[in-house]
Amino acid sequence: MFRTLGKVWAYAVCAKQAALLGPVAAAAYNLTFQLGFATTQICEAVAVAVQTLLAREIADTKSRSEYMRAKAVRHLINTSIGIGGVVATGLSLTTYLQQSKVLAGLTSNLAVREAAAGIMPAVLATQVAKGLAYPVNGIVMGGLDWKFTMLAMWLANIVCVGMIKSGGVMDLNKIWWALAAFMGTQVVTGIMRFQSKTGVWSLLKAENKMEATNES
């Protein structure tokens, strides 16, 4: 619940700032926000899958050795992040190359189209980061690492809102780059968490133990 509050607050602050820029900017923001969500729904499916599979692997302490569990967990981590990155990048690149047709299909208002086209690079960069954030968050939650995922989301919130409130000229590009930082922070903190091999992720230390045994 507290994790979700951090995410909703960041989205609300960005939406409010877009609304304050006027009806055209608000319409362009809403259009690109919905478009961005549409391009990353497959990545959300990956997050749900990896969360379930990881929880099963980590809990399976009877039928499999620690090394085999660590190997399976690492495979799920690498595969989910890879799929998320490839899918989000591919869809975002396709959207960028076909943006005129995409925007024409979403609105007939020329001013809104121009405003949306002007921020498309930032929008799609955000979506690539979001495509990675989905599986990374799914990985962390699959490890039942609830406290960390809450703290990581609030750190991302602070980064995003801090960029919005930092002063200077407010425009849609600033809002979208703040959202990009919001997603990027989740990716970086999540990867740092399971790569630290602490807490529930200490299971991954079994990889190093087996490698050391094989070398000796």
Side-chain angles (χ1 to χ4, degrees):
M1 181 182 70
F2 287 111
R3 176 185 181 278
T4 302
L5 284 173
K7 178 170 65 174
V8 171
W9 185 7
Y11 287 162
V13 169
C14 290
K16 176 184 176 181
Q17 292 301 320
L20 292 174
L21 294 175
V24 172
Y29 175 80
N30 186 59
L31 184 151
T32 50
F33 191 84
Q34 298 304 325
L35 176 63
F37 266 81
T39 60
T40 52
Q41 287 310 296
I42 295 175
C43 301
E44 185 175 16
V46 173
V48 173
V50 73
Q51 181 176 345
T52 304
L53 293 170
L54 266 176
R56 185 185 67 182
E57 291 295 340
I58 292 173
D60 186 15
T61 58
K62 295 182 179 179
S63 63
R64 309 182 75 181
S65 68
E66 188 177 54
Y67 172 71
M68 292 305 296
R69 287 164 56 219
K71 187 176 179 180
V73 167
R74 178 62 69 184
H75 172 72
L76 288 170
I77 288 173
N78 293 341
T79 301
S80 61
I81 293 176
I83 292 174
V86 169
V87 170
T89 301
L91 290 175
S92 295
L93 181 60
T94 300
T95 303
Y96 181 75
L97 295 174
Q98 299 293 323
Q99 62 179 304
S100 296
K101 293 181 180 179
V102 172
L103 293 176
L106 293 173
T107 178
S108 60
N109 188 297
L110 292 178
V112 174
R113 280 192 217 170
E114 291 178 1
I119 58 173
M120 195 59 70
V123 172
L124 297 181
T126 301
Q127 299 327 303
V128 173
K130 187 176 181 182
L132 293 169
Y134 269 133
V136 167
N137 285 328
I139 289 164
V140 176
M141 288 189 284
L144 305 183
D145 209 348
W146 303 115
K147 184 180 292 185
F148 175 82
T149 194
M150 179 194 70
L151 294 174
M153 182 61 73
W154 277 96
L155 176 60
N157 174 293
I158 291 170
V159 171
C160 177
V161 175
M163 288 178 66
I164 294 292
K165 302 291 187 180
S166 62
V169 178
M170 180 61 63
D171 58 18
L172 287 178
N173 267 303
K174 183 174 183 178
I175 294 170
W176 271 106
W177 285 119
L179 283 170
F182 178 67
M183 298 300 171
T185 301
Q186 294 175 54
V187 174
V188 172
T189 55
I191 291 175
M192 288 176 62
R193 174 57 173 168
F194 53 74
Q195 285 298 104
S196 71
K197 299 181 181 180
T198 58
V200 66
W201 306 107
S202 60
L203 171 66
L204 293 174
K205 291 180 180 178
E207 294 177 305
N208 299 334
K209 291 178 182 177
M210 183 57 71
E211 290 172 2
T213 300
N214 291 337
E215 290 175 0
S216 61

